[in-house]
Amino acid sequence: MNSILHIDSSILGGYSATRALTADIVAKQQALHPGARIVRRDLVADAALHLSDAHMAVFQGAPVSDPHLGQDLATGGAYLDELFAADIVVIGAPMYNFSIPSQLKGWIDRVAVAGRSFKYGPNGPEGLVTGKKVFIASARGGVYSGQSPLAALDHQESYLLAALGFIGLTDVTIIRAEGLALGDEAKAALAGAKAQIDALAA
């Protein structure tokens, strides 16, 4: 075991449920894999720019004339290098307006790169980021899982599973705390998520 990539995307800082859960997951993985190196990415404190026409021009071969753009491209390249180097990936992903934070979407835009993390072959797309274990710390105010009438509005976990699976990350465990805006259910939801983390095995 060499590397654990720890990604947070919540804008709530110390009030964030997903940040608390990712910290617990990483601590558990460190206990299971002593000596593992932790690579931390806080996508709020150090966010990459959203993709723009300037980015696309460079991707098509145009020169990099803006130093800020050059630095941002280097950050995006580092995201991809870190993902390939990781053995375990831990992602904090709260639900914002039925989907994921734009900061996390920005990270996905930088790691879903044709020819690097996926390719198109005779049988369609093929993910190239394989052999890794992914843990998603998911938090949402309502209840969207199971037979919930809100299940069709879940474009958070469903999107992440699709996007990660597209680039080859299919070994995914979701640690979920939902109903966090429903009063007394919040404490039980967090306790249940922490119990899931405690029960994780190597």
Side-chain angles (χ1 to χ4, degrees), residues 89-199:
V89 183
V90 180
I91 302 173
M95 176 184 276
Y96 290 170
N97 295 321
F98 312 117
S99 186
I100 61 174
S102 62
Q103 292 86 350
L104 183 54
K105 176 59 165 63
W107 179 83
I108 290 172
D109 286 343
R110 300 307 183 91
V111 300
V113 179
R116 290 288 310 279
S117 57
F118 71 93
K119 66 179 180 180
Y120 291 104
N123 297 316
E126 176 186 346
L128 302 176
V129 188
T130 58
K132 305 176 189 304
K133 176 65 182 176
V134 180
F135 295 93
I136 296 173
S138 168
R140 46 247 201 135
V143 175
Y144 297 82
S145 61
Q147 300 301 311
S148 168
L150 298 177
L153 297 177
D154 171 19
H155 307 293
Q156 170 216 18
E157 291 179 7
S158 59
Y159 170 74
L160 278 175
L161 290 172
L164 295 173
F166 189 82
I167 62 174
L169 296 170
T170 56
D171 185 1
V172 180
T173 297
I174 295 176
I175 306 294
R176 180 187 302 119
E178 62 181 352
L180 298 183
L182 302 180
D184 293 341
E185 291 189 30
K187 186 177 292 187
L190 287 171
K194 290 179 180 294
Q196 281 185 268
I197 295 169
D198 289 341

Side-chain angles (χ1 to χ4, degrees), residues 15-142:
Y15 297 99
S16 166
T18 58
R19 286 177 181 266
L21 293 175
T22 60
D24 287 348
I25 295 169
V26 169
K28 178 68 174 184
Q29 293 305 308
Q30 282 185 293
L32 292 170
H33 307 285
R37 183 172 67 98
I38 308 301
V39 176
R40 178 77 191 284
R41 276 290 176 182
D42 187 330
L43 300 179
V44 176
D46 186 24
L49 299 173
H50 290 297
L51 292 180
S52 67
D53 55 347
H55 290 85
M56 300 311 293
V58 171
F59 296 158
Q60 298 301 317
V64 179
S65 57
D66 181 343
H68 296 294
L69 176 62
Q71 180 58 50
D72 186 68
L73 291 166
T75 297
Y79 286 175
L80 195 53
D81 291 341
E82 291 164 357
L83 180 60
F84 271 107
D87 300 289
I88 294 174
V89 183
V90 180
I91 302 173
M95 176 184 276
Y96 290 170
N97 295 321
F98 312 117
S99 186
I100 61 174
S102 62
Q103 292 86 350
L104 183 54
K105 176 59 165 63
W107 179 83
I108 290 172
D109 286 343
R110 300 307 183 91
V111 300
V113 179
R116 290 288 310 279
S117 57
F118 71 93
K119 66 179 180 180
Y120 291 104
N123 297 316
E126 176 186 346
L128 302 176
V129 188
T130 58
K132 305 176 189 304
K133 176 65 182 176
V134 180
F135 295 93
I136 296 173
S138 168
R140 46 247 201 135

